[in-house]
Amino acid sequence: GGLHGVPRADGLGEVVAGVEEQHLHRVAVEQGAPIGLRLALLLGQRAEEVAGRVGERAQAAQELRGLNVFAADSELPPLEDGSYYYHDLRGLDVLDAGCGSGPIMEALRERGVRAESRVGLCVERSPALLAAMLGILKAGGAYVPLDPNLPEARRAFMARDVDVRLVVASSAGRPAVESLGEVLELGAWLEGPSPAPENSEGGARAEQLAYVMFTSGSTGAPKGVAIEHRQVNRLVRGADYTAFGPDEVFLLLAPITFDASTFEIWGALLNGGTLVVHPPGDTSPRLLSALVERFGVTTLWLTAGLFHQLVEQDTPALARVRRVLAGGDVLSPGHVRRFLEQGGQRLINGYGPTETTTFACCHAVDRVEQVGGAVPIGRPIANTTVYVVDASGEPVPTGVAGELWIGD
């Protein structure tokens, strides 16, 4: 569960100030008041203040634009090692013909794709992947990443679970998804002319579905998580945990089936930044350092395991980027210290389940003396609320263990 509309406090213990608030909270609990009201009383908030903030937040959500308004400049040639460089992906209404998403959008509409139609996506990291994603979104649909390396039964379950009837695939990905329904293979669609701007929709609603991503299933059956356009906006627009903008260069390294790719792709595309597309397959310290050096990557996201491995190998790339974000597992304090001792500029520990769209909390360190016996998950990022509660859903005092509740 999550909480909606309750103002966030830096620490519950810091805001409970006086016997009156504690008394009101006790009465609310005894009378069975809703948890939102109990929290508001505990935090010393007046009802009108809470209502006002709820209204402001709702209005802000209505003003957010959808993801399907972009331009892409793909004139630069591929690198010798097969990686690609996407430059200056700015938030404009007209899609560049070189991106190829316009013809894909038209092909999808001809096949009945409309608002919130779930469209499977089985394309390796490449410019074609971005074109396919943009084409699906421009058609009004939502993309559902499908991993060709998963067992066939698992892919079939995922497609059936979210009602995927059409899949956009590369020639390499097509054999893995042919049994799922109709397949639109990329190729000729990337070569055709882009339709005139007036043929494209003006923009998705903030609450419209953008993609569905499945959890790993490590704690049970894999679950499809529906992410709306506004949730992606929350992750990368007006964010306070890292820098976004025209001067920032992101590397698309995460698999498209992993929600870290949401941060990498839309962090660049929605902020006029630059996106470098890592070639398909695993990375290596040598290739990673070459891409960072050649294109001046400023922001790099790594799994905790890969971060630890690169630190142990003293990979030059880590010291060249302005900030490294790592997560997906517990970070080792020893590796974080070594990263900073090796010249690393800033390490951001990012925490969040798939349901929170990549990150819910972040903690940054840029000096060795800031690293203690554990690396905290930090504080909630902008437009996010986080509370620690007990088994009854009651907020616990500062320093007491409990369950984490996350909301917007």
Side-chain angles (χ1 to χ4, degrees), residues 110-134:
E110 290 172 0
R111 288 160 175 77
V113 172
R114 295 295 182 266
E116 300 198 343
S117 297
R118 269 78 81 192
V119 180
L121 183 61
C122 190
V123 184
E124 59 277 9
R125 276 191 309 254
S126 64
L129 169 64
L130 300 183
M133 292 175 69
L134 292 169

Side-chain angles (χ1 to χ4, degrees), residues 131-150:
M133 292 175 69
L134 292 169
I136 293 170
L137 293 170
K138 288 293 289 184
Y143 58 91
V144 183
L146 299 170
D147 186 349
N149 298 313
L150 287 175

